[in-house]
């Protein structure tokens, strides 16, 4: 903890501090703080203000690590009155954070009827508006104790701290000029309006992983592929050489993995780049990817602007992404003549799958439940399920266990309505076919585990709001004969010049800069859509939705000004004006969306198809989604016209409700979506619940273990229980299963109410001078069918069940630890050999160490390691040693999970560490030369005890190095080839690491204990 954590910042409202002495320029022109004192000071001030708004005491220690400190996104809410919000830690950094530091940026959510300030002071810093972005929807305000539970926000304004304590003075205009130099705006093809300029600034805040820094010679810009009419066929798509892709993979920690494509940001360029084996150490960008500056920009910019920033990665052998059908797509499919019964059968299929897992008891297998170490802040439902499973309970026999499981299963059942699972449905990145092998009407889709998808498929892009946005394409495998370009795990679209426009632009105006395609091969849906497309005559034309007020072009704003400073000031004012204009139309997407849903539901209920008005609504919605770039606004009169044409039942109709209202709506609205949402989810599996009488009861155990409790004490216990459980029942729902939200009139969650009730009855038990276990067993004995007993006495009853099962397995009613919110747990039996010929069975109730996620190569090693073969006695004396090299000991990995405390000759492993500490030179001592193998991009040692001693010596050496002048410990290594059978079997025999070779524990040798 920094000593200045709780120091108050000085009041220097008008004081501009000089450049801090510890701000050093780094590669690429960025200025990152080497001394993070200023970062910690600002973080502390922000946290204290946040605690004030949340009516709590400040935390005594930082809630984030020093690594997270540089990736924090500071947030606030409000317009006239600023309220701090909880910090968000970005998984990756962004270009603006890298250049100027994250603490200089403040992301302020502006309420729907709010006002955007141009500048203000906060924490003695002067903030000025930099840019803005859309941020529609509602925002929960419980964390800030607002009067309302939810408020609507219009947009997010991004402010920049121009000066203040411990800050280098930097103006907003200089930030604008750094990211989009004005000298490039106005060139041929590079002019843009103010709304699009603001959008270009938002790209600099994209969360991305910085990887390889390119030279200007490695970047080439070429013309796009075009159709006969001149329209783009490769919009947002480029290529990258295989060697550069491998270098990026190493930077991402994916060495040895094959990457098909990347979604990237490179200076003013963005989009997808696909691996191309025909290129050599080069990136080829299409003109459509470069938004301003062209080749000249990359020659003159700072090196940090030529760095490949990776937003998303497509692994060739990665798992396929299954896609679901959302309600927009379901409505569009029904308008494409897909029968409603097909949609309802998909829901029934998913429901039956969950039901069968509950019946068979396999619900806890796989990834249906989250890991028990992922603790939910307001619910312990999953923790209780894992704990009951660990205790040996069975949901098919124990009613409370079943109720918890079925309550959790209602969540996925509700999610099905928001995303309906569909067989043979995949979500993949779209790219263009640079090989030009694919003919019009075809595509190439290669899915891991499935291979090439062949035959007719329907393809669309989300949001899909009209049948015209659905395309029928024939899947082919032609690209397997064109090995230069990657095709694995991608949806490759034809770039045949005979197209009148790109296939992606048919799908809601999509392109290839990172858009996902939903590919469906489910035959009932494909056949219906294919027949509909064949019967439809001609194409549905898109209507003109030009913006009512055209935002000014940048060249128009700065064209009459001579000084660059004046141009930047004018541009800053134009951005502020555009921000104010964007606020007025901020809720347009939501309004159009709801209007589209109600009209679609109405027309499908009455006509079973879409009219031309639905095409117009889809056009308006598509334009509203791009409003931040185009400045699009809609006349209120036009929206009123669409709403006025709806019948009375449709105006007040919200198709996503349940209960009696859903039954009424489903009798009026007949669309598949309404019928789908009318299906019940609450208590959906109650018909499977076992009766309480047939449950695996611990009643006999409770009766036997409470014989020593007198009748008088029992009466006191039950009186206390009636009082405590009665108070609890008045405040919670009647289903007695841990829920996430309290009732509207309660300020506590149900988990907090349970904890409060437990504390109350445990205080009563303490006052009666009895144990909490006896209290719980007496209550259970008297009220065995009351679910509230399990709710409030869960820990005690679960332990009794565990002890009962332990006694049945080993004859001893003892368990080791209670698993609660740490790792996956299970009740298991283990046999430990004590002496020759004898065994003792020990029941362990606690954490079971799950197998970590392994790479493909490590899975091969895991499987091969189960084989047996000759290992040359372990010393590999007959194996040829290849190249010798000096390696830092920290770069060599263990193959063992633990090492013995003694060598074969009886010498101590710790003794070797002492010798190294006393001056033994590992580079001159032949016994310390390590045999290593190169595998999966890492060096692995076959001499684990020696490696452990060397690593321990290195660790102690660094701890004692106060001057910081000592370098890394080097070791001489001999590289062995895995092509040698003896080396391979030795490697497989040694492989027992559980953390990819990062560490190994020192195990006390049996020879040491016997001695």
């Amino acid at each position: 903890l920094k000593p200045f954590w709780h120091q108050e910042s000085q009041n220097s409202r008008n004081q501009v501090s000089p450049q801090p002495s510890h701000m050093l320029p780094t590669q690429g022109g960025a200025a990152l703080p080497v001394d993070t004192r200023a970062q910690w000071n600002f973080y502390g001030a922000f946290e204290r203000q946040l605690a004030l708004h949340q009516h709590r005491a400040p935390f005594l220690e930082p809630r984030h690590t020093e690594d997270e400190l540089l990736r924090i996104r500071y947030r606030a809410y409000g317009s006239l009155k600023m309220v701090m919000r909880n910090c968000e830690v970005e998984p990756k950094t962004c270009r603006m954070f890298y250049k100027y530091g994250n603490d200089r940026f403040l992301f302020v959510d502006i309420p729907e009827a709010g006002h955007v300030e141009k500048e203000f002071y906060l924490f003695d810093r002067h903030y000025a508006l930099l840019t803005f972005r859309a941020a529609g929807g509602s925002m929960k305000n419980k964390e800030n104790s607002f009067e309302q539970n939810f408020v609507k926000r219009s947009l997010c304004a991004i402010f920049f701290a121009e000066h203040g304590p411990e800050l280098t003075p930097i103006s907003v205009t200089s930030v604008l000029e750094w990211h989009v130099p004005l000298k490039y705006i106005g060139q041929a093809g590079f002019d843009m309006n103010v709304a699009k300029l603001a959008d270009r600034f938002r790209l600099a805040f994209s969360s991305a992983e910085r990887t390889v820094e390119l030279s200007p010679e490695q970047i080439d810009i070429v013309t796009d592929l075009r159709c006969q009419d001149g329209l783009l066929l490769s919009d947002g798509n480029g290529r990258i050489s295989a060697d550069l892709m491998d270098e990026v993979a190493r930077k991402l920690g994916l060495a040895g993995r094959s990457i098909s494509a990347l979604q990237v940001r490179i200076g003013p360029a963005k989009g997808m780049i696909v691996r191309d084996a025909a290129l050599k150490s080069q990136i080829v960008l299409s003109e459509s990817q470069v938004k301003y500056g062209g080749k000249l920009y990359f020659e003159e910019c700072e090196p940090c602007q030529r760095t490949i920033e990776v937003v998303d990665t497509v692994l060739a052998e990665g798992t396929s992404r299954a896609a679901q059908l959302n309600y927009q797509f379901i409505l569009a499919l029904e308008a494409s003549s897909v029968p409603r019964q097909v949609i309802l059968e998909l829901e029934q299929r998913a429901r039956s799958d969950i039901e069968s897992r509950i019946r068979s008891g396999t619900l806890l297998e796989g990834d249906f439940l989250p890991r028990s170490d992922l603790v939910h802040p307001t619910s312990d439902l999953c923790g209780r399920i894992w704990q009951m499973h660990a205790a040996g309970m069975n949901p098919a026999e124990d009613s409370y266990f079943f109720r918890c499981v079925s309550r959790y299963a209602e969540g996925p059942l509700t999610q099905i309505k928001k995303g309906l699972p569909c067989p043979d449905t995949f979500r993949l990145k779209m790219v263009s076919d640079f090989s030009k092998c694919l003919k019009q009407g075809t595509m190439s889709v290669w899915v891991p585990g499935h291979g090439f998808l062949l035959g007719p498929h329907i393809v669309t892009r989300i949001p899909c709001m009209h049948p015209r946005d659905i395309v029928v394409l024939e899947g082919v495998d032609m690209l397997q004969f064109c090995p230069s370009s990657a095709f694995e795990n991608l949806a490759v679209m034809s770039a045949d010049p005979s197209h009148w426009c790109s296939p992606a632009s048919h799908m809601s105006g999509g392109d290839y800069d990172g858009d996902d395609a939903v590919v469906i091969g489910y035959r009932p849906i494909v056949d219906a859509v294919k027949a509909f497309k064949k019967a439809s005559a001609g194409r549905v034309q898109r209507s003109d939705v030009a913006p009512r007020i055209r935002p000014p072009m940048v060249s128009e704003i700065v064209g009459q000004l001579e000084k660059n400073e004046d141009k930047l000031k004018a541009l800053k004012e134009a951005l502020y004006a555009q921000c104010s204009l964007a606020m007025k139309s901020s809720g347009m997407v939501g309004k159009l969306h709801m209007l589209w849903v109600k009209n679609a539901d109405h027309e499908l209920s009455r006509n079973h198809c879409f009219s031309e008005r639905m095409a117009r609504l889809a056009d308006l919605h598509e334009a509203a989604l791009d409003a931040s770039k185009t400045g699009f606004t809609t006349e209120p009169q036009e929206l009123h016209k669409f709403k006025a044409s709806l019948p009375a039942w449709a105006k007040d109709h919200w198709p996503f409700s349940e209960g009696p209202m859903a039954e009424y709506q489903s009798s009026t609205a007949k669309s598949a979506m309404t019928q789908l949402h009318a299906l019940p989810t609450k208590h959906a599996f109650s018909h499977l619940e076992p009766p309480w009488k047939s449950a695996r009861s611990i009643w006999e155990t409770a009766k036997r273990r409470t014989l020593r409790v007198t009748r008088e004490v029992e009466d006191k216990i039950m009186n206390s229980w009636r009082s405590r459980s009665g108070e609890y029942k008045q405040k919670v729902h009647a289903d007695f299963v841990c829920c996430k939200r309290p009732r509207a009139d309660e300020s506590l969650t149900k988990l907090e109410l349970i904890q409060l009730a437990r504390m109350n009855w445990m205080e009563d038990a303490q006052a009666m001078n009895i144990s909490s276990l006896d209290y719980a067993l007496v209550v259970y004995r008297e009220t065995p069918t009351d679910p509230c007993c399990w709710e409030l006495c869960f820990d005690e009853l679960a332990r009794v069940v565990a002890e009962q099962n332990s006694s049945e397995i080993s004859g001893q009613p003892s368990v080791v630890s209670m698993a609660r919110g740490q790792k996956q747990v299970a009740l298991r039996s283990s046999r430990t050999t004590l002496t020759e010929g004898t065994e003792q069975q020990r029941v362990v109730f606690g954490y079971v160490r799950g197998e970590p996620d392994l790479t493909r190569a490590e899975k091969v090693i895991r499987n091969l390691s189960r084989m047996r073969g000759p290992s040359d006695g372990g010393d590999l004396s007959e194996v040829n040693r290849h190249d010798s090299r000096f390696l830092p000991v920290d770069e060599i990995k263990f193959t063992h999970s633990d090492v013995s405390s003694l060598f074969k000759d009886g010498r101590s492993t710790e003794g070797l560490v002492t010798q190294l500490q006393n001056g033994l030179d590992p580079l001159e001592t032949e016994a310390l030369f390590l045999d290593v193998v190169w595998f999966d991009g890492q060096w692995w040692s076959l001499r684990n005890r020696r490696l452990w001693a060397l690593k321990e010596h290195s660790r102690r050496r660094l701890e004692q190095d106060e001057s910081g002048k000592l370098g890394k410990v080097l070791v001489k290594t001999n590289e062995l080839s895995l092509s040698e059978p003896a080396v391979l079997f030795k490697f497989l025999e040694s492989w027992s690491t559980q953390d990819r070779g990062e560490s190994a524990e020192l195990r006390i040798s049996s020879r040491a204990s016997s001695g």
Side-chain angles (χ1 to χ4, degrees), residues 338-352:
V338 175
R340 294 171 187 167
Q341 191 58 34
V342 171
I343 304 297
L344 296 177
E345 286 175 357
L346 288 176
E347 194 278 345
Q348 186 58 43
R349 180 175 178 170
R351 183 183 292 255
S352 299

Side-chain angles (χ1 to χ4, degrees), residues 51 60 174 233 241 295 342 349 410 454 481 494 501 569 803 880 886 910 937 983:
L60 297 179
S174 64
L233 293 174
S241 61
K295 183 69 174 177
V342 171
R349 180 175 178 170
E410 290 173 8
L454 304 178
F481 306 109
S494 170
C501 68
K569 288 182 179 180
E803 291 176 348
N880 293 325
F886 296 100
E910 278 282 2
V983 177

